[in-house]
Amino acid sequence: MSRNVRSVHRSSRTSHHSSSLPHFLLAIPLVLLPILLGGARIWFQAWVMALFCLGCMVWVWTGSKEGMRLPSGWVVAALGILACVPIIQALPVPMSVLEVISPERQVWLQRVVDILDVRPYWTSLSYAPVLTGFGLLWWVFCAVVVWMGMRQLKVPERSGWFFGLLLILAMLQASYGLFQVFVPQAGVLWAEYSGAEGCARGTFVNRNHYACFLNMLWPVLLAWVISLDQMLPRPHGMTRREHQEQVWHKKFLFGFLVGLVILALFFSRSRGGILAALVGLTVFLLLNRSKRAEMVIMVCAAWAVMFAYGWVIGFDEILARFDRIGSDTGRLILWEDVWHMITDHSWLGVGVNGFETIGRVYNTSLPESKFYYHAHNDYLQLMAEVGLPLALALILSAWTLWLVMARRVRRKAKDAQGPEALLAAGALAGCAAFLVHSVVEFNWQIPANQLYFLLMMGLAWVWSSEERGRRTDD
C-alpha cells in the first residue's frame, strides 16, 4: 500500500516537473535576450540558442509529450519555403550561374579577381554566407519558441506566470531607464555608447529599440490588468465581495506599474517610439469597441498634445528631426543608397545578415571611415537582404495577417466572454506599434524585439481564434 502511495507521489512530481519545464524553456530567451543588450551581439544569440536547445534535449529526454505536436501542414510548408531562401543564398553556385541570377554580385567578384589574380569557380549569392547560415538557425529558433509559446499560453487563465514574468521584466527595464534619466552619466551595462545621455534606454543601447520593446509590453500588460477579474478565480471560502476587493487592489498596483512603464517609454525621447505608442493606444481602443468616455478622452488628449506640439515648433522641424539619424546624414539620403543596393540585387538580395558587409560599398553620404550597419528602415533592409519578391510577399503577409486578426478581435469583442479578445487586442496594439516604428528604425534587426514581435503575433492569432481555447493538449 505504502509502495503504491510513493509511486503515485513520484509520478505526480515527475508530471509537475515535466509541465513546468516548457515554461522555463520559454522564459530563457524571453528574459535573457532583452537583458543582454537586446541580444544585439551575435555571441549572445548563440549562447541563448544553445541553452534553449540544451533545455529542449532535457525536455525530450524526460519523455514529456506536452506541447510537442507539430503545427498544421500549411504552416510547416510555408516555413520550409522560407528556410530555403538563406540556404540558397549561402550555398556555393558556379560563377556561370551567378552571372545570370546576380550579375552585380558577379561584377564585384570580378573586381576581386582582377586584383588578386585568382578566379573562383564556385561562390555564394550571399556576401556574408556564414552570417546568412546563422540567420537560418535564428529563424528556426524563433519558429520553435513562438510555436511553444502559442501552445503553452493558449489558455490565458493558466498563463499567469507569463504575464507576471512580462510585468517583472517591464519593471526592470523601466526602473533602469528612469535611473538613466535621473543619473545622465549612467551608461548601459558594460556597453560603450556616447550618445543619448539622460534618455531612458534600459539594457538596450539604442533608445529607439528600448521604446519599441516597451511598446510591445505595455498594451498586453494593460489588457491583462483590465481583465484580472476574469483571470483570477475566486478562492474557496472567500466571499465575492472579498474577492472583488482583492482584485481591485491588484488592478490598482499593477496598473500603476504599467503606468511607470509608459512613463519610461516617454522619457526615452524616441520620437518614433512615442508616435508608435500613440498608434498602439488608438488601436487598442478601436479593437476593444470601448465606449468608456475616459479612454476616448485619454486618446484624443494624447493626439491633441502631439498636434499642439507640432503646431508650436512647426511640422517641418518635426519632419526634419525624423529624417536626421545623427550629425552625419539623414534617413532619406541613406534610403537612396539602400534603394540602389536593392535594384542591383532585386531577385535574391545580398543575403540574410549581409547588409552590413555590402553596405559600405553603397555608402555615398558618409566619409569612407564611417558607415551604417543598418538601413534605419526594416522594410528596405528586408528588400535588400532577401530580394524584392520575397520581401514584398512577407510584408504584405504580415499586414494582411494583422488585419485578419484585428477583424476577428472586433467580432469576438461583441461576445464579451473571457479575456481572450482583450488580450489579443493588446498584443495586436503592440504589433501595430512595431510595424509603424519600423518605417524609421531597424527594430527587426534587434533579436529581442524580433522575437517578441513574432510571439505577440502568434499569441494574437491564438487568442483571437473562434475557438476559445479552453482545452489543453496533453
Side-chain angles (χ1 to χ4, degrees):
M1 181 71 177
S2 60
R3 183 178 302 174
N4 294 334
V5 172
R6 286 197 299 270
S7 64
V8 170
H9 286 312
R10 190 180 301 112
S11 62
S12 64
R13 288 197 300 268
T14 303
S15 62
H16 172 72
H17 293 322
S18 62
S19 62
S20 60
L21 184 56
H23 299 170
F24 176 74
L25 289 176
L26 189 59
I28 289 176
L30 296 183
V31 172
L32 292 183
L33 285 175
I35 288 179
L36 299 176
L37 304 180
R41 301 293 186 275
I42 195 167
W43 63 274
F44 286 169
Q45 293 177 258
W47 274 105
V48 172
M49 292 164 62
L51 185 60
F52 180 81
C53 291
L54 181 62
C56 288
M57 293 172 60
V58 173
W59 185 27
V60 174
W61 179 71
T62 58
S64 174
K65 301 297 183 182
E66 182 182 358
M68 295 289 287
R69 191 169 63 183
L70 293 176
S72 58
W74 69 269
V75 175
V76 175
L79 293 177
I81 294 174
L82 184 62
C84 289
V85 174
I87 293 176
I88 294 174
Q89 291 177 332
L91 290 179
V93 296
M95 289 289 291
S96 57
V97 175
L98 183 68
E99 186 176 358
V100 176
I101 59 180
S102 184
E104 191 66 24
R105 166 82 164 138
Q106 196 273 339
V107 169
W108 287 112
L109 283 177
Q110 186 60 46
R111 295 182 182 180
V112 174
V113 169
D114 295 339
I115 295 175
L116 300 180
D117 196 23
V118 176
R119 179 173 176 81
Y121 293 96
W122 294 77
T123 187
S124 63
L125 290 168
S126 172
Y127 287 82
V130 175
L131 294 179
T132 299
F134 182 82
L136 172 62
L137 298 178
W138 171 253
W139 285 7
V140 174
F141 168 77
C142 288
V144 174
V145 172
V146 171
W147 181 245
M148 182 179 293
M150 293 171 65
R151 301 286 295 172
Q152 298 297 321
L153 307 173
K154 181 169 59 175
V155 183
E157 290 86 349
R158 302 180 187 178
S159 307
W161 67 271
F162 171 72
F163 296 105
L165 180 68
L166 289 189
L167 184 61
I168 293 173
L169 186 60
M171 280 308 305
L172 289 176
Q173 293 288 351
S175 301
Y176 192 19
L178 292 176
F179 174 76
Q180 292 164 339
V181 172
F182 294 115
V183 184
Q185 63 269 26
V188 180
L189 297 180
W190 62 87
E192 296 182 1
Y193 183 67
S194 59
E197 287 83 359
C199 299
R201 292 172 285 163
T203 59
F204 291 73
V205 176
N206 190 298
R207 56 180 177 170
N208 296 294
H209 304 150
Y210 172 75
C212 177
F213 181 73
L214 294 186
N215 266 330
M216 287 186 290
L217 292 188
W218 73 259
V220 72
L221 286 175
L222 179 60
W224 173 62
V225 171
I226 296 175
S227 59
L228 272 178
D229 50 349
Q230 297 175 293
M231 299 277 287
L232 299 177
R234 179 158 58 98
H236 181 70
M238 180 179 291
T239 64
R240 184 181 299 274
R241 182 175 180 179
E242 291 174 342
H243 178 63
Q244 290 178 347
E245 290 179 354
Q246 185 183 69
V247 169
W248 275 107
H249 291 162
K250 291 184 177 181
K251 279 189 174 185
F252 178 80
L253 174 61
F254 295 157
F256 174 75
L257 297 180
V258 173
L260 288 181
V261 174
I262 298 175
L263 179 66
L265 189 156
F266 275 83
F267 271 111
S268 70
R269 300 180 187 176
S270 168
R271 293 177 291 272
I274 294 173
L275 177 61
L278 294 179
V279 171
L281 180 61
T282 305
V283 168
F284 184 70
L285 175 64
L286 294 176
L287 291 182
N288 281 305
R289 295 182 177 269
S290 177
K291 297 181 181 179
R292 298 178 182 178
E294 59 272 18
M295 293 191 68
V296 177
I297 293 174
M298 180 175 61
V299 172
C300 293
W303 283 103
V305 169
M306 190 195 72
F307 280 109
Y309 173 76
W311 181 267
V312 171
I313 69 172
F315 287 102
D316 292 340
E317 179 66 20
I318 294 178
L319 293 176
R321 291 183 183 180
F322 268 106
D323 176 52
R324 302 302 297 178
I325 299 175
S327 58
D328 300 307
T329 189
R331 282 181 171 84
L332 295 179
I333 298 177
L334 174 61
W335 293 347
E336 185 178 354
D337 294 341
V338 176
W339 183 250
H340 291 313
M341 184 193 305
I342 295 172
T343 54
D344 287 344
H345 308 81
S346 56
W347 288 108
L348 291 173
V350 301
V352 177
N353 295 333
F355 181 90
E356 176 185 344
T357 303
I358 190 62
R360 310 182 188 192
V361 178
Y362 286 87
N363 174 33
T364 62
S365 57
L366 290 175
E368 293 184 359
S369 59
K370 295 183 179 181
F371 64 95
Y372 283 109
Y373 293 93
H374 302 286
H376 286 264
N377 183 308
D378 280 327
Y379 300 101
L380 289 179
Q381 185 159 342
L382 183 63
M383 294 177 190
E385 291 190 348
V386 303
L388 272 175
L390 180 60
L392 293 177
L394 290 175
I395 294 169
L396 182 61
S397 299
W399 278 103
T400 302
L401 181 62
W402 189 94
L403 292 173
V404 169
M405 291 189 292
R407 291 186 61 184
R408 287 165 55 170
V409 170
R410 292 275 290 178
R411 289 197 304 265
K412 196 166 186 176
K414 295 179 181 179
D415 300 335
Q417 296 178 358
E420 290 91 348
L422 188 62
L423 292 172
L428 287 176
C431 293
F434 179 95
L435 291 171
V436 170
H437 197 182
S438 292
V439 176
V440 293
E441 275 303 330
F442 52 99
N443 292 304
W444 180 257
Q445 313 305 322
I446 305 302
N449 288 346
Q450 183 181 147
L451 181 61
Y452 267 81
F453 169 74
L454 294 174
L455 179 61
M456 289 301 166
M457 288 286 282
L459 293 179
W461 177 266
V462 172
W463 291 335
S464 65
S465 63
E466 298 300 329
E467 297 180 359
R468 289 175 56 81
R470 299 299 183 185
R471 300 189 308 271
T472 56
D473 297 299
D474 299 324

